Amino acid sequence: MSASQDHEVRPGRRAVVAAVGAVSVGVVLTACGNQKDSGGSDAVEPTRGGSDAVEPARGGSDDGGAALAKTADIPEGGGVIFADQDVVVTQPKAGEFKAFSSKCTHQGCAVSSVSDGTINCPCHGSKFDVATGSVEAGPATRPLPARPITVKGDSIMLVP
Protein backbone atom coordinates (compact mmCIF):
# COMPACT_ATOMS: atom_id res chain seq x y z
CA MET A 1 0.00 0.00 0.00
CA SER A 2 1.20 3.48 -0.78
CA ALA A 3 1.13 6.40 1.63
CA SER A 4 -1.72 8.05 -0.27
CA GLN A 5 -3.95 5.01 0.20
CA ASP A 6 -3.44 4.95 4.00
CA HIS A 7 -4.38 8.60 4.44
CA GLU A 8 -7.81 9.08 6.06
CA VAL A 9 -9.76 12.10 4.83
CA ARG A 10 -11.61 14.04 7.52
CA PRO A 11 -13.65 17.20 7.05
CA GLY A 12 -12.16 20.30 8.59
CA ARG A 13 -13.73 22.13 11.50
CA ARG A 14 -14.88 24.97 9.21
CA ALA A 15 -16.68 22.54 6.93
CA VAL A 16 -18.49 20.93 9.88
CA VAL A 17 -19.52 24.29 11.35
CA ALA A 18 -20.74 25.49 7.92
CA ALA A 19 -22.77 22.30 7.39
CA VAL A 20 -24.40 22.55 10.84
CA GLY A 21 -25.21 26.21 10.16
CA ALA A 22 -26.79 25.40 6.81
CA VAL A 23 -28.95 22.67 8.34
CA SER A 24 -30.02 25.01 11.16
CA VAL A 25 -31.05 27.72 8.68
CA GLY A 26 -33.09 25.16 6.75
CA VAL A 27 -34.89 24.04 9.90
CA VAL A 28 -35.66 27.62 10.94
CA LEU A 29 -36.96 28.54 7.49
CA THR A 30 -39.17 25.47 7.40
CA ALA A 31 -40.58 26.18 10.87
CA CYS A 32 -41.21 29.85 10.05
CA GLY A 33 -42.66 29.22 6.61
CA ASN A 34 -45.74 30.98 5.29
CA GLN A 35 -48.82 29.68 7.06
CA LYS A 36 -50.88 30.14 3.89
CA ASP A 37 -49.10 27.12 2.48
CA SER A 38 -49.90 24.96 5.51
CA GLY A 39 -53.17 23.70 4.07
CA GLY A 40 -55.29 25.27 6.83
CA SER A 41 -58.93 26.14 6.40
CA ASP A 42 -60.19 29.43 4.98
CA ALA A 43 -61.44 30.64 8.35
CA VAL A 44 -58.91 30.77 11.12
CA GLU A 45 -60.99 31.43 14.17
CA PRO A 46 -64.42 32.63 15.10
CA THR A 47 -64.56 34.64 18.30
CA ARG A 48 -66.64 35.13 21.38
CA GLY A 49 -66.17 31.65 22.76
CA GLY A 50 -66.91 29.80 19.53
CA SER A 51 -64.57 27.03 18.49
CA ASP A 52 -65.92 25.96 15.11
CA ALA A 53 -64.32 27.44 12.02
CA VAL A 54 -66.71 29.21 9.69
CA GLU A 55 -66.79 27.83 6.18
CA PRO A 56 -66.69 30.67 3.67
CA ALA A 57 -69.77 31.10 1.54
CA ARG A 58 -69.09 30.10 -2.06
CA GLY A 59 -69.98 32.01 -5.16
CA GLY A 60 -69.90 35.65 -6.12
CA SER A 61 -72.10 38.65 -6.57
CA ASP A 62 -73.27 40.86 -9.39
CA ASP A 63 -70.46 43.33 -8.67
CA GLY A 64 -67.80 40.59 -8.88
CA GLY A 65 -67.21 40.32 -5.13
CA ALA A 66 -66.42 36.96 -3.58
CA ALA A 67 -68.83 35.75 -0.91
CA LEU A 68 -66.93 35.27 2.35
CA ALA A 69 -69.58 34.33 4.87
CA LYS A 70 -73.12 34.73 6.06
CA THR A 71 -73.86 37.62 8.41
CA ALA A 72 -74.88 35.12 11.11
CA ASP A 73 -71.34 33.66 11.03
CA ILE A 74 -69.78 36.89 12.34
CA PRO A 75 -70.34 37.29 16.09
CA GLU A 76 -71.51 40.66 17.40
CA GLY A 77 -68.58 42.42 19.09
CA GLY A 78 -66.15 39.95 17.53
CA GLY A 79 -65.04 38.75 14.15
CA VAL A 80 -63.74 35.96 11.94
CA ILE A 81 -60.36 35.72 10.24
CA PHE A 82 -60.28 34.42 6.65
CA ALA A 83 -56.64 33.44 6.18
CA ASP A 84 -56.84 32.55 2.48
CA GLN A 85 -58.25 35.98 1.66
CA ASP A 86 -55.95 37.85 4.11
CA VAL A 87 -58.97 39.54 5.68
CA VAL A 88 -60.70 39.73 9.05
CA VAL A 89 -64.41 40.57 9.11
CA THR A 90 -65.84 42.09 12.29
CA GLN A 91 -69.28 43.06 13.59
CA PRO A 92 -68.62 45.85 16.12
CA LYS A 93 -72.35 46.26 16.79
CA ALA A 94 -75.45 44.51 15.54
CA GLY A 95 -75.76 44.74 11.75
CA GLU A 96 -72.54 46.74 11.26
CA PHE A 97 -69.81 44.83 9.43
CA LYS A 98 -66.22 45.93 8.85
CA ALA A 99 -63.27 44.28 7.16
CA PHE A 100 -59.54 44.79 7.58
CA SER A 101 -56.31 43.26 6.36
CA SER A 102 -55.36 40.28 8.53
CA LYS A 103 -51.66 41.20 8.35
CA CYS A 104 -50.28 43.06 11.36
CA THR A 105 -48.79 46.43 10.42
CA HIS A 106 -45.85 45.88 12.78
CA GLN A 107 -44.02 43.07 10.96
CA GLY A 108 -46.62 41.46 8.71
CA CYS A 109 -47.59 38.51 10.92
CA ALA A 110 -51.06 37.09 10.41
CA VAL A 111 -53.46 38.07 13.18
CA SER A 112 -54.71 35.04 15.05
CA SER A 113 -57.80 35.95 17.04
CA VAL A 114 -60.53 38.47 17.71
CA SER A 115 -61.59 38.88 21.34
CA ASP A 116 -62.67 41.51 23.84
CA GLY A 117 -63.17 44.08 21.08
CA THR A 118 -59.71 43.70 19.53
CA ILE A 119 -58.04 41.93 16.62
CA ASN A 120 -54.93 40.29 18.05
CA CYS A 121 -51.49 39.58 16.61
CA PRO A 122 -49.65 36.65 18.23
CA CYS A 123 -46.13 37.69 17.22
CA HIS A 124 -45.53 40.72 19.43
CA GLY A 125 -48.91 41.39 21.06
CA SER A 126 -50.30 44.20 18.92
CA LYS A 127 -54.07 44.73 19.27
CA PHE A 128 -56.39 46.57 16.86
CA ASP A 129 -59.92 47.93 17.42
CA VAL A 130 -62.65 45.79 15.77
CA ALA A 131 -64.62 48.89 14.67
CA THR A 132 -61.83 51.02 13.21
CA GLY A 133 -58.70 48.87 12.87
CA SER A 134 -56.81 51.47 14.93
CA VAL A 135 -53.99 50.39 17.23
CA GLU A 136 -55.15 49.63 20.77
CA ALA A 137 -51.79 48.19 21.93
CA GLY A 138 -48.37 48.21 20.25
CA PRO A 139 -45.74 47.66 19.10
CA ALA A 140 -47.69 48.34 15.88
CA THR A 141 -48.07 52.07 15.20
CA ARG A 142 -50.29 51.99 12.09
CA PRO A 143 -53.91 50.78 11.91
CA LEU A 144 -54.96 47.71 9.97
CA PRO A 145 -55.92 48.80 6.45
CA ALA A 146 -59.66 48.60 5.75
CA ARG A 147 -60.78 46.11 3.10
CA PRO A 148 -63.92 46.79 1.04
CA ILE A 149 -66.89 44.50 1.64
CA THR A 150 -70.56 44.63 0.76
CA VAL A 151 -73.47 43.06 2.58
CA LYS A 152 -76.34 41.85 0.41
CA GLY A 153 -79.10 40.08 2.26
CA ASP A 154 -77.33 37.71 4.61
CA SER A 155 -74.12 37.42 2.54
CA ILE A 156 -70.88 39.29 3.12
CA MET A 157 -68.81 39.75 -0.03
CA LEU A 158 -65.22 40.86 -0.42
CA VAL A 159 -65.02 43.53 -3.13
CA PRO A 160 -62.07 42.97 -5.49
Side-chain angles (χ1 to χ4, degrees), residues 50-97:
S51 61
D52 297 327
V54 176
E55 283 297 316
R58 301 291 178 205
S61 68
D62 294 339
D63 62 4
L68 283 175
K70 300 291 185 191
T71 56
D73 295 336
I74 312 299
E76 185 179 341
V80 176
I81 299 164
F82 297 90
D84 287 351
Q85 290 83 8
D86 293 327
V87 68
V88 56
V89 177
T90 64
Q91 184 178 191
K93 49 188 169 179
E96 178 184 345
F97 297 93

Side-chain angles (χ1 to χ4, degrees), residues 1-159:
M1 241 196 238
S2 71
S4 65
Q5 291 174 334
D6 285 339
H7 182 58
E8 183 178 337
V9 177
R10 291 186 181 179
R13 184 169 48 172
R14 287 184 184 171
V16 171
V17 170
V20 168
V23 169
S24 297
V25 167
V27 168
V28 168
L29 290 176
T30 301
C32 294
N34 187 346
Q35 290 182 353
K36 273 181 86 171
D37 298 332
S38 68
S41 69
D42 287 342
V44 174
E45 180 177 328
T47 58
R48 272 260 180 107
S51 61
D52 297 327
V54 176
E55 283 297 316
R58 301 291 178 205
S61 68
D62 294 339
D63 62 4
L68 283 175
K70 300 291 185 191
T71 56
D73 295 336
I74 312 299
E76 185 179 341
V80 176
I81 299 164
F82 297 90
D84 287 351
Q85 290 83 8
D86 293 327
V87 68
V88 56
V89 177
T90 64
Q91 184 178 191
K93 49 188 169 179
E96 178 184 345
F97 297 93
K98 304 281 184 164
F100 305 96
S101 168
S102 64
K103 300 296 179 201
C104 179
T105 57
H106 176 235
Q107 288 189 341
C109 292
V111 297
S112 64
S113 66
V114 183
S115 61
D116 299 322
T118 60
I119 302 164
N120 309 303
C121 179
C123 293
H124 300 104
S126 292
K127 295 180 181 290
F128 303 90
D129 183 79
V130 296
T132 63
S134 63
V135 177
E136 294 288 316
T141 58
R142 292 174 288 129
L144 291 175
R147 296 282 305 272
I149 56 170
T150 58
V151 179
K152 289 189 179 177
D154 66 347
S155 292
I156 300 171
M157 281 114 1
L158 184 61
V159 177

